[in-house]
Amino acid sequence: MTAPAPQAVDTFFPFSAQSISNAQWQAYVRMFRTDGIVNSDLAGTTAYNVADGGGLVAQVAAGRAIVQGIFAENATQKNFTLGTADATNPRIDTVILRLTQATPTVQLAVLEGVAAASPVPLALTQNAAVYEVPLSFIRINAASGSLTSLTDC
């Protein structure tokens, strides 16, 4: 009896003669890695650490992350000057990584929260076009000229 002839699968990669789309690559990476920070070195140093830079400045350290199967690396620290505190109520800002599929780009950004007596972080956008991954929550108390607290996500 003769075995049936082999049949090629529809897609396989990586090979130099095989091109793949962004969507295929993202699906491949997402089989092995979820969204979030990737340790920056074998010693386990945490990447994209958010720190108080004095006043209303948030410092985001260099780092590596995966956002919906896309590798994002930033080699240098980025500084963000946050908006002025509300006179009456505190707010919670969120430092994020934002993947925009149409561009395609990954950016560090800050979502400015809404001042309220009991503030909560803004909802993240997580859909097929734009996907945001939180890095840190920053509380800014009413009438404050500095960051009150930072909480890693």
Side-chain angles (χ1 to χ4, degrees), residues 50 58 82 91-93 95 136-140 147 149-150:
V50 179
L82 306 182
R91 73 168 193 267
I92 298 174
D93 292 353
V95 179
S136 182
F137 298 122
I138 302 171
R139 183 180 173 101
I140 300 171
L147 311 182
S149 65
L150 294 100

Side-chain angles (χ1 to χ4, degrees), residues 4 36 92 101 122 128 130:
I92 298 174
Q101 294 282 9
L122 291 179
V130 176

